[in-house]
Every structure is written in structure tokens, then in C-alpha cells.
Amino acid sequence: MKAARTSRSETGLGDYVDRLRFPADPWRLTETGFDGEDIGTSETLFSVGNGYLGLRGNVEEGHDFHSHGTFINGFHETWPIHHAEEAYGFARTGQTIVNVPDSKVIRLYVDDEPLLLSVADLIEYNRSLDMRDGVLTRDLLWRTPAGNRVRVRSRRMVSFTHRHVAVLTFEVTLLDKEAPIAISSQLLNREAGLDEYRANPDLTGETDPRKAEAFQGRVLASRMHKEENGRIQLGYQCVNSEMTLAVAMEHWVDYDGDYDCASEVEEDYAKHVFRTHLKPGETFSLTKVVSYHTSRVVPARELADRCNRTLDRVSDEGADKQFEDQREWLDEFWARSDVEVGGDAALQQAVRWSLFQLAQAGARGDGNGISAKGVSGSGYGGHYFWDTEIYVVPFFTYTSPVMARNALRYRYRMLGAAEQRAAELAQRGALYPWRTINGEEASAYYAAGTAQYHIDADISYAINKYVRATGDDEFLAREGIDILVQTARMWADLGFWRKTAGNEPSFRIHGVTGPDEYTTVVNDNLYTNVMARFNLRSAAESVRKLADTWPDQHAKMVARLDLAPDEVEEWERAAEAMAILWDENLGIHPQDALFNEREVWDLPNTPPEKRPLLLHFHPLVIYRFQVLKQADVVLALFLQGDHFSMEEKRSDFEYYDPITTGDSTLSGVVQSIIAAEVGYHELALKYFWDSAFVDIGDLHSNTADGVHVASAGGVWSALVYGFGGLRDYGTMLHFDPRLPDPWPSLTFRLTQRGTRVRVTVRKESISFDVEEGPGLTVDVRGTHYNILAHAEMVVPLEDQGPRLDGVPDPAKFHGTLRADGTVITASLPPNVNEPDAMDIEAEAPPSLT
């Protein structure tokens, strides 16, 4: 949705969106004109889903498209990973989310002329995703080639209350003269035909690791197809993963006149075609109800029975009830989740769209993970990453704890596979995969994949925060404790003790990759060590807590995991002695043991066409420089901020911010949080703005692949942790706000141990109002306040923290000495301004290629 014309919002920052076509609205994302140029982006932006089932925003007619998509969380095909050079322990099983049979197609013919948006004479067009009721609507007025005006209205909804249900309505009204109409409602297995599935092939030859692996053969093998009493069922099984799927659809017609209905059902294709003659002013209304069920073990025919029962229930309740229930569910969601930014409709739209995407990605996953693209696209192959625990789970923890619990339970279900993976890498305990769907490591490039051992600490961090915020000791005792123990064992086994002259022994961790994938397989990565320390301490603390408060569960855990008492003491010693490196010359924490010895990449003089770096430079070129794909040390400063002084945070931020490319959408939100904390208020707002519009503005040119779910979660974090000043160290919530100058107020909700409190930050105060529950105690800049039910607490604020104008000076450290006496300068790889090798080949004469 790159702007043809950019507007300026009240903040003074461009919001990257053509507001003539996409007007600012606090509760809706609306498109006032169809444009095939950015149809891939709009398909993502107008997707609807519930965390289990997702329908991309493809137009009903199906012929104009970038990438058709209907996805079910966790439903995937597997394929063998072939390495050019084999080695023990490499990932063996690739996993890719499957594009399941498409039920969105509803094609209209008037006087035998098809409605095709790219060539149609559209007098009016409006498509809108309303985030209050979770319904995608489209209203258009079409003038047919014969001059007949036709009003076409449709609605599309994936239910939050019935996770297996989608409801689509389609109504046609003729305005001028009588004409025959036909509506063809279809169910199409696009995986069966490569021609249709790859109608828009990628001809660039570009290799982009952010895209899904393309299948080379048939994926879904037909297991059944039938029609009975107007209800159509199709059943399939994945060829390799053997996962099973059934989908069923039925139609209800609201029309007083006569009409014909013809059906066709084949293995990969089914349709109902409705035909009638409409007079001017008459409306033909069609309701299409679809149910999907999937399994790892249940045969497709049994899943078809489940689809039947689901459709029976929906039929008994009626379509209106589904839309009413959807609105009621979302009313409750927004009551506990909404974040209000005063005075900016465009920004409010982006914020609510981001929060709505989190619900669509994870609300009804119900035991599945939350993938990088949710159920909105196939980007990253539908894999789950550490993004979930660090960027998404915190939102659910403080707004919808049940959803957070479900996401964490998925990691518990993967624990057995993580234990096997640790054994493959000669480690004790458990090592979670960097990217996966079924629990096995799916990253073929171990240096930037498997070596990211920090995934263990990230999962443990999310468990610890969830238990502290909710008091859910049952989850801790029965499931969470196993993850904490097994990940702590891995760290204790991976690390080692080292003593240098004149120093106490320290605990070191070598050969790992931190969050920054532009620096791989290093020693003593700061983020990894800091988070491993947290993991070790959290495991020890939780084991002791269980022994004190729930001895029978503690005894079961000890027997289950064969835990020895001296192991817990070992974790505590390792945590206490963890190596946290410090560079005296520069006054910063090095990202890793050798990071400061590398040359600094000259980002200001890097041509824009060479970004992101990962698409234009071999990894070895990037690895030789100090340049970051995403925040690494800065993320540690946020997650473990109580272990760093304000001076250390500012010094670290001023060093690392200028060499961070932002090539990852995970980076901006974290940099916004720390920029706000240390005082760079203008920069904090810019980073936040870029993050809020990363998809709506298609700022990374890949929104077509699906929603950046982690970035959407980061938007909430930047609002609540960054500008709201929340810190959740320990059991009490702490607040030190940083309200941006242009904003009159910021309001958000938090749920802590059964109490939901509304927090409002203004320039002169922060106020707390308990909306549900008995109340709680909070800390505001070192003073404790008891917040009681049915009473608002207003705390005056002297300021909004330190205020530093501008941005950190990228040359601040240039000319200074490293520890080895060399001088720090900035440079670029040779030939950086020359065309890429692939571009040269593409431009060469045929005789040379």
C-alpha cells in the first residue's frame, strides 16, 4: 500500500499511506478503490482469521490475485532437506504450511458476463475490515457491458467463537432491467494444479529466505468427495506428513423467486451454481457456511463427520447468530485489550489493526503455536520462531491470559522433540528449534538457525512472566517446570567455567548466535548470556518454590525428570558467575567477545538499493563487519533492564543504534522502547511510527507474504513498555512513563492476577482505574500506590523522563581506540556500488548467459 500521495499526520510524520484510497478511521481499514498493482499487499491487509483458520483477502471472483491463500495453523507438509555437504546433526525435515482448499470463490455472471474487477466498470467500490465486529465487507456498483447497474454486497467472517467455521454472504441486486444471473460458489483444492497455484511465478530469480519453500509435486491426496442433501464434503491427506483434513460447505438462499441449483463434485473441485432471472429492485442473497477440521491421526472421513456436526450446529443457530457472537467476542476482547492514542486517527487505525492481527493470529490457536505470519500468508513457511515468546505472548499475558497459556502449552508439547534435538547436539536437557512447525528443527542454515540457543531462554522468559502475572502455579507445576528444568540443564551443560589471572572464575557460553543474524556463531554473546542467566535463576527459583508450596507436585517433577538437588545449586552458581562482558575503552557492553574487533559498516553511505543487506551480500561479507540486522544488546537492555544502569543503557544504545540496519521488522519496536527510556523521544516516536505502519505502509516490501505478527506484538510493547513506561520485574508492576510530545494522552489496559486496570498517561499525571477485580499495588517511579476497586488513583508526574533531541551520532565512536589499540573507522565492502552478480547476469547478452 505504498502511497501515491503521502499525507502528514498530526505528529508531523508521514504515515506512508494514500489517504484518498485508504482513509484514516480509528476502527476500520477501508479501501475505496480497487487497484491490481498492490493486490498482494491488500490481500494480506484484508485477511480474516481466528488463530486456527485464516482466509487471505482474495477477491471473491478469484481471477484477480497475487497469492490465493486459505491456511490452518499447524497444518503442514514435510519434505527432506538436502544439503550440498552433509554433516551430523543438520536439520533433516523441512516443513511448510499448506494452502488448504479455497472456499472464498463466489463468481457472478450477469447476462453471461463475468464480474472481473480488473476490467469491470466499477461506479462505486468500498471494501472494509471492521475491527469491532471482525467482518470483511465489500460493496460495489458494477455497470455491465450491456449498461445494467448491479449492486453487489458481500461479507466474510472467520468465527472467534466457533474456531472451525467461516461464514460468507453474497447478495446481488439489479437496478435497471431484468437479466439472468448465475452465481458459482466453489471449493477448490489449489494444491492439486500447479498451473493455477503458480499463476504468478516469481521471475526475478531472487532468493529471499523470508518466503515459503515452494512444493514441487502434489501435496494433498484425495481421500473422499461427496455431496449429500446439498452439503459438499472433501477430504485429504498430506502425502508426506500424513496430516488429514476435511472441509464441508453448504448454502442458504434468501430469495422469493424461483431459481435453479446445479452441483458438481470432483476430487479437487466442487461447486454449486445458482441461476435465476432478477427484476430491477430484486435481491438474491446467498449465505455460504464452511467448516474445516484437521488432525495428525484421525482419518479424513471422521473429520468430515466433525464438519457435519459443526455445520449442523451453525444451521440450528442461523447465520445472524454467528455475526452477533463475533461482535460480542470482540467487544470483550477490546474491553481488555484496547490501546487509545489521543488525537491521531491514522495512528489509532494502525494500532488497532496491529492488535486485531494478534487476535487473528493466536486467539483460537488452542494449543498450536503462533507463526510468524499467523494464518494470513505463507511467509517463512508458516514456521514458529522465538518471536512468539518475546513479542506476542506478553500482549496475551496482560490482556488474554488463557491465550498466552495455550501458546506456552504448545511449547510443552514440543518438549520431547527439543530433548531429542539437544541430544543430537551432544547436550543435556532440551534445545528448542529456531524455526519449526512439528517440533523438529527446520532451519537448513545452522549458523543463523540452530545456533540461536537463546530460544530456550526466550521460552523460559515467557513462562516466568506469565506465571508471575497470572499466578497460574498449576501450569508451572504440571508443565512449565519441565521446560524450565530442561532448558536450565542445557545451559549448565553448554557453558563452561574459565578462570583468568587475577579474576574469579566465570561461566562462559561459546559458539552461539544471538538475535542479530548478521553476526553468527560467536563467544559470550551478551543477549544469550544475560537471558541464560535469567533462565538458570528462574528454573532454580521455580524448583524451590514448588518444593515449598506444592511438595507433592515437586516430588512428581523430581521423579519425572530425575532431578538432583546439586543441579539446582549448580544453576545458581553458573548464573551468579555468568560472563557479562564490558569494554572499558568504549564504555559499552560488547555484543560478543570479538564484535568490537570487526570493522564498522558505514550504513549512512550504503546505497538504498542494497538494502536489506541479506539480499545483496554473502553472509561472510556481512559477518566481517559491525552491522546488525536487528537489536541484540538493546533487546537485552529491555528484557533485563533491572540489571543495567541508565548510563549503561544510554551508552549501549548510542553505540548500537547507528549500526542497526532495521532489516528485521523485530528491531524498531525494541529500539523505540530503549530510545524512549534513555531520552531520545523523537527517535522513539519515529521507530514506533515505522513499526506501526510496517504492513499498512508495506515498508519492507513483503507484506504480500503475510502479516508481520511479531511486529504487531511489538507495537503493543512499544506503547505499553516504551511510552507507558511499564516494567514487570518481580511481581509488582512498575511505571515510569515517556509520553511523546505530540500525544495528549495514552490509555491502555493490563490484567494482573485477576485485576484489570485501565492506565492513562498524560503529560502531568498517570492514572489508574480498576475495571475488574479486587485491586493491586503498583510502583510509580519508586513510590508504591494501592489501587482499589471502583476508585481512580491519579499520580502527578513532574516530567516525562529525560529529553534528548535528534539521534545518536553515528561518528561518535569513530577515531577512538579499541582495546588492542587500533582506531575505529567506518567502511564498506569493496564494489558495494556495483550491480549484484545476479543483476549483471540478467543484463548480459544472451550469448554470455
Side-chain angles (χ1 to χ4, degrees):
M1 198 192 292
K2 294 289 182 64
R5 181 181 292 104
T6 342
S7 66
R8 306 293 288 183
S9 77
E10 292 86 338
T11 62
L13 296 169
D15 66 5
Y16 318 109
V17 178
D18 179 358
R19 288 304 175 185
L20 297 179
R21 182 178 166 210
F22 299 94
D25 184 303
W27 282 106
R28 293 184 183 89
L29 181 66
T30 298
E31 178 186 41
T32 62
F34 175 78
D35 188 346
E37 292 298 317
D38 62 358
I39 194 170
T41 298
S42 64
E43 285 171 0
T44 292
L45 297 181
F46 290 101
S47 296
V48 291
N50 62 9
Y52 171 75
L53 170 65
L55 310 180
R56 276 180 66 80
N58 303 115
V59 297
E60 282 82 347
E61 296 72 32
H63 292 299
D64 297 303
F65 72 98
H66 172 271
S67 175
H68 288 290
T70 302
F71 301 104
I72 294 178
N73 191 352
F75 188 79
H76 68 281
E77 178 63 306
T78 57
W79 41 275
I81 299 176
H82 298 291
H83 300 273
E85 296 184 13
E86 292 287 353
Y88 179 82
F90 277 9
R92 298 297 175 196
T93 305
Q95 304 137 54
T96 304
I97 194 169
V98 172
N99 191 2
V100 302
D102 185 3
S103 58
K104 300 185 295 294
V105 179
I106 304 176
R107 292 176 176 148
L108 171 65
Y109 303 84
V110 177
D111 253 339
D112 295 328
E113 297 293 340
L115 172 59
L116 184 60
L117 296 191
S118 56
V119 298
D121 181 2
L122 298 178
I123 304 170
E124 299 174 6
Y125 178 94
N126 182 287
R127 180 166 61 158
S128 182
L129 177 62
D130 193 319
M131 293 169 280
R132 289 169 298 188
D133 59 22
V135 178
L136 176 66
T137 61
R138 192 185 69 175
D139 188 340
L140 61 85
L141 185 60
W142 168 40
R143 182 185 285 112
T144 70
N148 205 353
R149 291 176 302 153
V150 184
R151 173 71 66 184
V152 183
R153 293 189 173 99
S154 64
R155 294 183 296 172
R156 183 184 300 171
M157 181 264 284
V158 176
S159 175
F160 283 110
T161 55
H162 295 337
R163 69 192 290 252
H164 298 280
V165 171
V167 181
L168 305 91
T169 68
F170 193 86
E171 64 177 47
V172 181
T173 306
L174 300 191
L175 302 185
D176 296 316
K177 55 186 177 181
E178 181 178 352
I181 71 163
I183 299 175
S184 178
S185 179
Q186 302 181 5
L187 190 56
L188 175 64
N189 174 24
R190 298 185 184 278
E191 293 285 9
L194 297 182
D195 289 340
E196 181 155 8
Y197 184 57
R198 297 182 184 175
N200 288 341
D202 181 6
L203 301 177
T204 65
E206 178 182 72
T207 300
D208 189 340
R210 300 168 297 184
K211 296 183 181 294
E213 184 77 15
F215 294 118
Q216 300 301 317
R218 185 177 179 103
V219 176
L220 295 175
S222 177
R223 290 292 179 261
M224 61 164 292
H225 61 285
K226 72 174 184 178
E227 179 194 7
E228 187 174 358
N229 298 322
R231 184 176 291 177
I232 290 176
Q233 302 171 0
L234 301 179
Y236 300 93
Q237 185 171 32
C238 287
V239 172
N240 296 323
S241 73
E242 299 186 344
M243 294 193 73
T244 50
L245 159 80
V247 54
M249 71 173 180
E250 70 176 359
H251 298 82
W252 309 327
V253 173
D254 183 8
Y255 176 59
D256 293 333
D258 295 330
Y259 66 91
D260 295 325
C261 179
S263 301
E264 184 178 345
V265 182
E266 299 178 2
E267 287 187 351
D268 297 308
Y269 177 75
K271 66 179 178 180
H272 283 313
V273 180
F274 303 87
R275 297 184 178 91
T276 189
H277 273 72
L278 280 186
K279 296 179 180 179
E282 288 186 334
T283 299
F284 187 94
S285 296
L286 179 70
T287 298
K288 181 178 187 176
V289 184
V290 188
S291 177
Y292 293 83
H293 282 263
T294 55
S295 176
R296 294 180 184 273
V297 294
V298 177
R301 289 188 178 275
E302 182 177 336
L303 295 179
D305 292 338
R306 296 181 186 180
C307 290
N308 273 332
R309 287 192 291 272
T310 298
L311 293 183
D312 287 342
R313 180 172 66 168
V314 175
S315 180
D316 291 341
E317 295 174 346
D320 290 343
K321 180 68 161 55
Q322 311 313 310
F323 289 100
E324 291 167 4
D325 288 350
Q326 185 85 336
R327 178 59 185 250
E328 182 179 344
W329 191 96
L330 280 165
D331 283 345
E332 295 175 359
F333 170 81
W334 288 115
R336 61 182 186 267
S337 309
D338 194 19
V339 179
E340 300 160 69
V341 179
D344 194 325
L347 188 56
Q348 185 67 71
Q349 178 187 55
V351 168
R352 287 198 173 115
W353 185 87
S354 295
L355 303 186
F356 184 65
Q357 297 311 312
L358 295 175
Q360 293 203 132
R364 294 306 310 273
D366 294 7
N368 286 316
I370 301 173
S371 74
K373 299 296 183 181
V375 285
S376 67
S378 61
Y380 290 111
H383 292 166
Y384 313 126
F385 293 78
W386 67 287
D387 311 6
T388 299
E389 283 72 28
I390 297 301
Y391 293 90
V392 179
V393 168
F395 166 74
F396 287 126
T397 292
Y398 285 110
T399 61
S400 303
V402 171
M403 299 175 195
R405 192 182 202 270
N406 285 336
L408 295 173
R409 289 198 71 245
Y410 172 73
R411 291 297 192 180
Y412 176 73
R413 288 170 49 202
M414 291 173 59
L415 182 58
E419 291 168 342
Q420 294 177 19
R421 185 59 174 158
E424 285 181 345
L425 271 71
Q427 305 294 160
R428 296 188 66 214
L431 177 59
Y432 280 91
W434 179 64
R435 61 188 297 173
T436 189
I437 298 178
N438 64 9
E440 298 178 66
E441 177 64 81
S443 174
Y445 183 51
Y446 74 90
T450 299
Q452 294 201 47
Y453 285 70
H454 65 84
I455 178 67
D456 271 19
D458 301 327
I459 294 169
S460 298
Y461 178 87
I463 290 171
N464 179 278
K465 294 296 183 181
Y466 166 78
V467 172
R468 287 179 180 273
T470 62
D472 189 355
D473 289 337
E474 180 184 357
F475 169 75
L476 174 66
R478 298 183 187 278
E479 297 175 334
I481 192 66
D482 290 37
I483 296 176
L484 294 176
V485 167
Q486 292 294 68
T487 52
R489 277 175 164 166
M490 192 282 296
W491 292 119
D493 187 51
L494 177 66
F496 62 95
W497 292 89
R498 174 163 291 177
K499 188 178 189 306
T500 57
N503 296 308
E504 294 293 322
S506 61
F507 193 75
R508 304 288 181 131
I509 298 175
H510 286 187
V512 299
T513 298
D516 169 36
E517 294 155 24
Y518 284 175
T519 316
T520 64
V521 193
V522 299
N523 295 341
D524 290 320
N525 169 254
L526 181 90
Y527 178 88
T528 302
N529 285 17
V530 165
M531 294 300 288
R533 179 175 64 183
F534 178 90
N535 193 164
L536 291 162
R537 286 173 172 168
S538 177
E541 175 188 301
S542 298
V543 168
R544 297 192 189 284
K545 172 184 175 181
L546 210 58
D548 293 339
T549 61
W550 210 336
D552 59 330
Q553 287 295 331
H554 176 266
K556 292 179 181 178
M557 179 273 295
V558 168
R560 187 167 63 242
L561 301 178
D562 193 23
L563 179 66
D566 59 351
E567 284 190 77
V568 179
E569 297 172 1
E570 179 189 6
W571 301 341
E572 291 172 325
R573 288 195 304 272
E576 188 64 29
M578 185 68 68
I580 307 298
L581 305 184
W582 177 256
D583 188 313
E584 290 287 353
N585 285 54
L586 299 178
I588 64 165
H589 292 92
Q591 183 169 297
D592 61 70
L594 298 179
F595 186 81
N596 290 356
E597 295 183 11
R598 299 180 177 92
E599 292 301 308
V600 177
W601 188 296
D602 189 359
L603 277 181
N605 290 309
T606 301
E609 60 270 18
K610 294 293 186 178
R611 307 280 289 273
L613 302 186
L614 63 92
L615 298 184
H616 301 279
F617 298 94
H618 190 282
L620 288 177
V621 176
I622 299 174
Y623 297 164
R624 296 186 184 110
F625 285 83
Q626 291 187 44
V627 63
L628 280 62
K629 181 183 178 186
Q630 62 201 62
D632 193 303
V633 171
V634 173
L635 181 57
L637 301 179
F638 163 48
L639 298 180
Q640 291 290 278
D642 52 338
H643 295 283
F644 300 92
S645 69
M646 184 64 77
E647 292 74 18
E648 290 174 333
K649 292 178 184 178
R650 176 177 170 181
S651 182
D652 284 341
F653 181 78
E654 290 178 341
Y655 188 87
Y656 289 105
D657 183 73
I659 59 173
T660 303
T661 62
D663 288 350
S664 168
T665 59
L666 301 182
S667 196
V669 289
V670 174
Q671 288 166 276
S672 176
I673 292 170
I674 298 301
E677 182 176 7
V678 302
Y680 284 101
H681 59 110
E682 297 166 332
L683 184 59
L685 190 56
K686 180 187 182 302
Y687 277 134
F688 172 72
W689 193 266
D690 290 346
S691 299
F693 284 90
V694 70
D695 281 323
I696 293 182
D698 193 19
L699 302 188
H700 284 242
S701 301
N702 65 348
T703 298
D705 296 332
V707 173
H708 292 85
V709 173
S711 182
V715 167
W716 181 86
S717 293
L719 287 163
V720 173
Y721 289 105
F723 303 130
L726 169 69
R727 294 295 183 271
D728 48 3
Y729 312 132
T731 57
M732 187 183 300
L733 301 181
H734 300 253
F735 295 89
D736 187 4
R738 300 288 192 270
L739 188 69
D741 289 341
W743 296 2
S745 63
L746 169 66
T747 300
F748 54 92
R749 284 89 178 154
L750 297 169
T751 298
Q752 172 88 343
R753 293 183 176 249
T755 293
R756 189 176 79 219
V757 60
R758 183 177 70 248
V759 184
T760 301
V761 179
R762 298 182 178 86
K763 297 186 188 303
E764 70 284 352
S765 67
I766 181 171
S767 63
F768 304 89
D769 188 4
V770 173
E771 296 182 331
E772 281 187 1
L776 74 167
T777 300
V778 300
D779 177 289
V780 179
R781 294 181 176 173
T783 302
H784 293 182
Y785 298 89
N786 294 318
I787 314 300
L788 305 177
H790 311 299
E792 183 181 26
M793 170 72 71
V794 180
V795 180
L797 298 174
E798 291 185 1
D799 53 48
Q800 291 294 326
R803 284 297 199 249
L804 301 171
D805 295 332
V807 301
D809 180 5
K812 176 181 178 180
F813 293 90
H814 297 176
T816 57
L817 298 180
R818 299 183 178 88
D820 61 5
T822 58
V823 178
I824 294 178
T825 59
S827 60
L828 289 169
N831 306 321
V832 74
N833 290 307
E834 295 183 3
D836 291 346
M838 292 182 66
D839 294 336
I840 295 173
E841 180 177 331
E843 295 169 2
S847 60
L848 298 181
T849 59

